Amino acid sequence: EAGVAQSPRYKIIEKRQSVAFWCNPISGHATLYWYQQILGQGPKLLIQFQNNGVVDDSQLPKDRFSAERLKGVDSTLKIQPAKLEDSAVYLCASSPLMGRREGYTFGSGTRLTVV
Amino acid sequence: ELKVEQNPLFLSMQEGKNYTIYCNYSTTSDRLYWYRQDPGKSLESLFVLLSNGAVKQEGRLMASLDTKARLSTLHITAAVHDLSATYFCAVGGLPAGSRLTFGEGTQLTVNP
């Protein structure tokens, strides 16, 4: 089966600019996650969707980050305006159904550098 | 709040040697995952541990889970250079389907 697709792979922006990332999960996977991985740290969940509804966004900095999952398939994550500390890899993951315990499949990630 | 601690954070070992990476977590969970990450790459799933006493093995890696002690171990047997990578444990919150909380990762370097 095809994996989790993410784009772009790399992005360099200046602080205060905006940026958007795109994710296409594995076909049929109902649950989609966005994680932020700062260099040298483990990934941290930003937001979790079940179909097109938000399940957990408690760690999403809502003053600058937003995410949507239209029609319960693709998802976009936006940062506006970006700060230097947003430099990180943004990983998208999906799983078949919330409550399933087989684990998540991660995409290749988008590496964001804010200068 | 669920906290996950790994140790060691950095591990340099010689080929052929054995070593264990430890993962402690702070609250009750029903699932624990081990992932591998190569530099500049995404996370590759290694093991999914779902019950107390679970043990899984793949090649030179073996993972176990003790839910009572809130401890998982990743044992490396006769290390080879290809195992050099960063290894993460991730613990699932309750109820099932809640977010995964990751440890800081163990950066493993296997020297010839």
Side-chain angles (χ1 to χ4, degrees):
Chain A
E1 63 182 2
V4 176
Q6 289 189 247
S7 67
R9 287 297 310 274
Y10 305 94
K11 191 75 177 178
I12 301 174
I13 62 172
E14 294 182 349
K15 59 184 179 183
R16 292 188 290 275
Q17 285 188 323
S18 62
V19 64
F21 313 128
W22 174 82
C23 172
N24 181 240
I26 292 173
S27 178
H29 278 197
T31 312
L32 184 148
Y33 313 81
W34 283 103
Y35 281 84
Q36 179 193 58
Q37 186 177 21
I38 294 171
L39 185 65
Q41 299 181 17
K44 182 184 79 171
L45 180 74
L46 292 175
I47 190 166
Q48 175 181 343
F49 290 96
Q50 175 72 10
N51 296 312
N52 61 351
V54 175
V55 173
D56 184 351
D57 64 357
S58 58
Q59 298 185 113
L60 185 74
K62 298 181 185 64
D63 58 334
R64 297 184 300 106
F65 286 65
S66 64
E68 60 182 7
R69 189 181 184 198
L70 299 176
K71 300 180 181 178
V73 182
D74 294 5
S75 177
T76 56
L77 176 69
K78 297 179 182 178
I79 307 174
Q80 181 179 6
K83 293 184 175 182
L84 295 177
E85 59 260 36
D86 298 331
S87 294
V89 176
Y90 291 84
L91 294 164
C92 180
S94 69
S95 65
L97 188 67
M98 183 173 151
R100 293 284 291 274
R101 304 193 295 169
E102 291 82 0
Y104 308 168
T105 302
F106 283 84
S108 298
T110 295
R111 183 176 299 275
L112 173 67
T113 303
V114 183
V115 297
Chain B
E1 179 186 346
L2 175 59
K3 294 189 185 301
V4 180
E5 291 185 354
Q6 284 182 239
N7 70 83
L9 298 183
F10 299 92
L11 177 56
S12 179
M13 55 191 299
Q14 286 187 314
E15 282 191 329
K17 298 294 186 181
N18 304 332
Y19 208 84
T20 300
I21 299 171
Y22 297 88
C23 174
N24 291 91
Y25 55 99
S26 61
T27 64
T28 301
S29 172
D30 66 347
R31 62 205 194 285
L32 187 142
Y33 309 86
W34 283 97
Y35 288 91
R36 169 181 171 147
Q37 188 174 41
D38 292 288
K41 304 292 186 182
S42 189
L43 296 160
E44 174 192 353
S45 179
L46 294 175
F47 300 108
V48 180
L49 302 170
L50 302 178
S51 60
N52 186 42
V55 177
K56 292 196 174 180
Q57 184 164 3
E58 181 73 33
R60 301 175 187 275
L61 300 178
M62 183 174 70
S64 65
L65 177 62
D66 181 343
T67 59
K68 294 179 181 178
R70 297 177 184 163
L71 170 69
S72 180
T73 61
L74 180 66
H75 187 72
I76 303 157
T77 301
V80 294
H81 180 69
D82 286 352
L83 290 179
S84 297
T86 298
Y87 293 85
F88 291 95
C89 66
V91 181
L94 292 176
S98 301
R99 78 172 80 122
L100 291 187
T101 298
F102 282 79
E104 293 183 23
T106 297
Q107 186 176 319
L108 172 65
T109 303
V110 181
N111 302 303

